[in-house]
Amino acid sequence: MDIEEVHILDPELLQLPTGLSVKSNPLIAEELFSHWLSLPETSRLVKSLIDDTKSSTPVSISKNCANLNIACGSALPSLFLNSGTPPLSPRGSPRFSRQKTSPFSLQSPLRSLREPKPQLIPQFYFQHGPPPAKELQEQCLSMVDHLFSDFIDGLRMDEFKTVTKEVCKLPSFLSSLLFRKIDVDSTGIVTRDAFIKYWVDGHMLAMDVASQIYNILRQPGCEYLRQADFKPVLDELLTTHPGLEFLRNTPEFQERYAETVIYRIFYYINRSGTGCITLRELKRGNLVAAMQQVDEEDDINKVIRYFSYEHFYVIYCRFWELDGDHDFLIDKENLLKYGNHALTYRIVDRIFSQVPRKFTSKVEGKMSYEDFAYFILAEEDKSSEPSLEYWFKCIDLDGDGLISPNEMQFFYEEQLHRMECITQEPVLFEDILCQIFDMIKPEARKENCITLKDLKASKLSRNVFNILFNLNKFMAFETRDPFLIRQERENPTLTEWDRFAQREYVRLSMEEDEVSNGSADVWDEPLESPF
């Protein structure tokens, strides 16, 4: 045995007397080894190993060593027995047995403190949403019991509105649709148990308002909302809202109002342009807040998002002005008259090539009322994201996702020619290009290109499109019309569309008054008399 390795011998396992160290007495190791060689058991072990080797028998060192240890456990040299210290416990004692039970027993006791204790992770995913709080469920059941207490057999449709408002906290014009969702057998009655089964057991109670409305509106098995899904809601609104009572005797305009509201909803909410509103899109939009507001507000025109009758009036009348033959379709020549011939031929061609949006019209070369609604919303509010996307597609001639100087020049050339025709001092394209880049500050300035992201990040993007294809608005921007500036300062919360609709409604209502007084002849048909 090497003298440098004597420190690895454990004095306790060797049963050395107290105070006797192997490391401090190197001769002890030699004495131990000599003593071990002199033992009869050692001779038998060596002979057994040699015999096994000669006979090619697998050698079990651990077994032989274990037998040797047992036999030699008490055979210690007299060097250690002469000490006055009593001998230690034999190796078979419980102390040594406990040390060999686990390899972790020889490690630091701090290990158990460092090891994290297993924790029970609570459920965090629920297929139908998290369950409602116990207090909320108890409150709901209490209200249901109170409302159904006088109606043992159940509630009829006209009696169910209180449940919709007080228990479900939903707009009242959703009452009929919710009633039909519960009354699947069309019995005309909704019982207490049927309501609880749908609203509480069906996980509707724990959902947010947007999810509740989404599930009430959508058809079974559909993961989106179509335009037709909103029709029953608008029918109920037209029937019950006091601000729309004057339309009850004119069903044709009721239908047009409902269509216009739906078109506006899909223009702003359905950002994917698929014609199908997903739950994600519904939650990201402001439709739910507008529905709640219209339910609380008696004046429908104060709800400027989607439901304003004045906004519908403006859209419909502007379309009617352009539709000369009143076939409810307009062509390129009709659209060129829009805004007192404000648009260029080139931008109108791009619109009718259906690049920004596919027409719903079935007649080739014709724009339907729905297509016009999308156009006018995009034209009169170029600061909104749907409008920026609409016009970006028109200007991006090659569809590469970039607006290049060549593409801008293609549209501006016609503007320049029109300015010359009206003896307006022309502005060279080079100057216009510098002005556009200064307004937008595009990220790819070195490539002289503008992306849709650049336009959405700038507050002056609307001016870029007006410069390129709307002469009237371009001139207003160049002269900094003080009337428009004052309007923006007076109502900073209003959008461009809100201000435009406000101005146009005043103009159209004045013209309507003149028609009523017989001093003008604006409409070719008496169809507009209800307005």
Side-chain angles (χ1 to χ4, degrees):
M1 180 181 288
D2 194 349
I3 299 299
E4 285 80 3
E5 298 177 357
V6 297
H7 64 281
I8 66 174
L9 298 175
D10 190 345
E12 290 189 1
L13 294 178
L14 295 174
Q15 299 186 9
L16 297 177
T18 305
L20 203 55
S21 174
V22 175
K23 188 174 181 180
S24 60
N25 298 279
L27 295 178
I28 295 177
E30 294 185 1
E31 179 123 8
L32 286 172
F33 185 65
S34 300
H35 176 72
W36 180 76
L37 289 176
S38 64
L39 294 174
E41 290 80 2
T42 305
S43 300
R44 288 195 296 270
L45 173 62
V46 173
K47 185 177 182 301
S48 174
L49 292 173
I50 293 174
D51 294 340
D52 291 341
T53 303
K54 289 181 179 180
S55 61
S56 301
T57 304
V59 180
S60 178
I61 302 296
S62 59
K63 179 180 179 181
N64 292 327
C65 291
N67 295 333
L68 181 62
N69 289 337
I70 295 172
C72 302
S74 58
L76 293 174
S78 59
L79 171 65
F80 307 112
L81 298 177
N82 295 332
S83 173
T85 305
L88 297 175
S89 301
R91 289 191 181 184
S93 67
R95 176 176 174 228
F96 289 99
S97 300
R98 285 195 301 268
Q99 289 178 349
K100 295 181 180 181
T101 55
S102 172
F104 297 103
S105 61
L106 300 178
Q107 299 185 12
S108 170
L110 295 177
R111 177 183 176 89
S112 59
L113 298 178
R114 291 194 301 265
E115 291 180 352
K117 296 182 178 180
Q119 297 180 356
L120 181 61
I121 300 176
Q123 183 178 353
F124 58 88
Y125 172 75
F126 301 88
Q127 183 178 1
H128 303 288
K134 184 178 180 181
E135 296 79 7
L136 177 62
Q137 186 168 342
E138 291 177 350
Q139 181 182 5
C140 175
L141 293 176
S142 175
M143 295 178 66
V144 170
D145 292 338
H146 173 71
L147 292 174
F148 279 86
S149 59
D150 296 332
F151 303 91
I152 305 301
D153 296 330
L155 296 173
R156 300 183 183 277
M157 185 176 292
D158 57 335
E159 302 165 337
F160 189 72
K161 188 174 294 185
T162 306
V163 177
T164 305
K165 286 277 293 181
E166 297 184 7
V167 179
C168 303
K169 311 296 183 184
L170 293 174
S172 60
F173 51 87
L174 291 173
S175 179
S176 298
L177 195 57
L178 177 59
F179 185 92
R180 296 188 188 99
K181 282 281 185 177
I182 301 174
D183 184 23
V184 292
D185 297 328
S186 302
T187 61
I189 294 290
V190 168
T191 63
R192 173 192 177 278
D193 293 341
F195 175 78
I196 292 178
K197 180 180 178 181
Y198 178 82
W199 192 254
V200 180
D201 299 340
H203 309 283
M204 291 286 286
L205 177 61
M207 293 182 184
D208 56 87
V209 179
S211 299
Q212 291 172 347
I213 294 177
Y214 173 79
N215 282 284
I216 292 173
L217 292 179
R218 70 186 179 99
Q219 297 298 315
C222 288
E223 297 301 326
Y224 50 81
L225 300 178
R226 302 166 300 177
Q227 290 189 6
D229 296 330
F230 288 89
K231 190 64 169 60
V233 178
L234 270 299
D235 290 342
E236 180 75 9
L237 182 68
L238 284 162
T239 304
T240 60
H241 199 281
L244 297 170
E245 186 177 359
F246 68 98
L247 280 179
R248 291 178 185 173
N249 296 325
T250 55
E252 64 273 19
F253 292 116
Q254 282 186 325
E255 183 179 353
R256 296 304 176 199
Y257 170 80
E259 288 177 354
T260 306
V261 171
I262 293 173
Y263 297 156
R264 294 183 67 188
I265 289 173
F266 274 76
Y267 174 80
Y268 287 105
I269 302 298
N270 183 216
R271 300 299 306 283
S272 60
T274 60
C276 302
I277 295 178
T278 63
L279 177 59
R280 178 184 178 89
E281 289 176 327
L282 184 64
K283 288 184 176 182
R284 293 180 63 181
N286 56 1
L287 176 59
V288 173
M291 294 175 74
Q292 293 173 327
Q293 183 185 1
V294 78
D295 194 48
E296 302 297 331
E297 182 60 61
D298 290 340
D299 186 356
I300 196 72
N301 293 315
K302 290 184 178 180
V303 188
I304 57 178
R305 298 290 172 264
Y306 313 110
F307 295 97
S308 170
Y309 177 81
E310 292 181 356
H311 289 194
F312 151 71
Y313 184 82
V314 169
I315 295 174
Y316 186 84
C317 290
R318 290 302 292 265
F319 178 82
W320 191 259
E321 287 178 343
L322 299 177
D323 182 18
D325 56 3
H326 302 315
D327 61 349
F328 232 64
L329 295 170
I330 59 177
D331 56 19
K332 287 184 182 180
E333 295 301 322
N334 298 139
L335 191 62
L336 282 168
K337 300 175 184 178
Y338 180 84
N340 195 18
H341 298 271
L343 302 175
T344 63
Y345 282 89
R346 291 181 178 180
I347 198 65
V348 171
D349 285 340
R350 289 291 285 174
I351 294 171
F352 274 83
S353 65
Q354 305 182 38
V355 172
R357 180 179 181 272
K358 295 294 182 182
F359 285 174
T360 59
S361 169
K362 304 301 181 183
V363 181
E364 186 177 356
K366 297 280 188 175
M367 175 186 282
S368 68
Y369 176 61
E370 179 181 352
D371 303 323
F372 178 80
Y374 273 73
F375 159 77
I376 192 173
L377 292 171
E379 167 59 24
E380 300 303 338
D381 188 5
K382 294 188 179 76
S383 59
S384 67
E385 289 196 3
S387 175
L388 293 175
E389 294 169 1
Y390 186 97
W391 296 117
F392 184 88
K393 293 175 183 177
C394 288
I395 305 300
D396 183 17
L397 296 173
D398 56 7
D400 63 349
L402 298 171
I403 295 180
S404 65
N406 291 336
E407 291 169 330
M408 287 186 276
Q409 186 175 12
F410 172 79
F411 288 95
Y412 185 73
E413 283 176 350
E414 189 175 350
Q415 289 281 71
L416 189 61
H417 176 69
R418 298 176 77 192
M419 283 188 284
E420 294 172 348
C421 291
I422 61 174
T423 66
Q424 180 73 29
E425 182 180 358
V427 183
L428 298 178
F429 176 71
E430 289 73 14
D431 298 331
I432 287 295
L433 187 63
C434 291
Q435 188 176 9
I436 289 175
F437 279 115
D438 289 341
M439 286 190 296
I440 303 301
K441 296 179 175 58
E443 293 182 357
R445 179 65 182 267
K446 294 182 180 179
E447 290 77 13
N448 289 331
C449 292
I450 296 176
T451 65
L452 180 59
K453 181 181 178 182
D454 296 328
L455 293 172
K456 290 182 177 181
S458 174
K459 295 182 178 180
L460 301 175
S461 299
R462 64 183 185 274
N463 298 322
V464 174
F465 294 122
N466 290 333
I467 289 171
L468 295 179
F469 55 76
N470 190 311
L471 183 59
N472 295 345
K473 292 183 179 180
F474 175 37
M475 301 310 300
F477 169 70
E478 284 293 300
T479 57
R480 303 297 192 274
D481 189 339
F483 174 73
L484 297 178
I485 294 175
R486 185 173 68 253
Q487 252 196 341
E488 292 180 4
R489 290 177 178 175
E490 289 176 354
N491 300 297
T493 59
L494 297 180
T495 65
E496 283 188 67
W497 165 257
D498 299 331
R499 286 188 283 268
F500 165 79
Q502 197 175 58
R503 295 192 306 269
E504 277 298 294
Y505 185 78
V506 172
R507 179 186 72 83
L508 292 168
S509 59
M510 291 176 63
E511 291 181 355
E512 181 66 22
D513 290 340
E514 291 177 357
V515 172
S516 301
N517 296 331
S519 59
D521 185 16
V522 178
W523 308 112
D524 295 333
E525 300 284 341
L527 188 60
E528 300 300 322
S529 57
F531 293 115

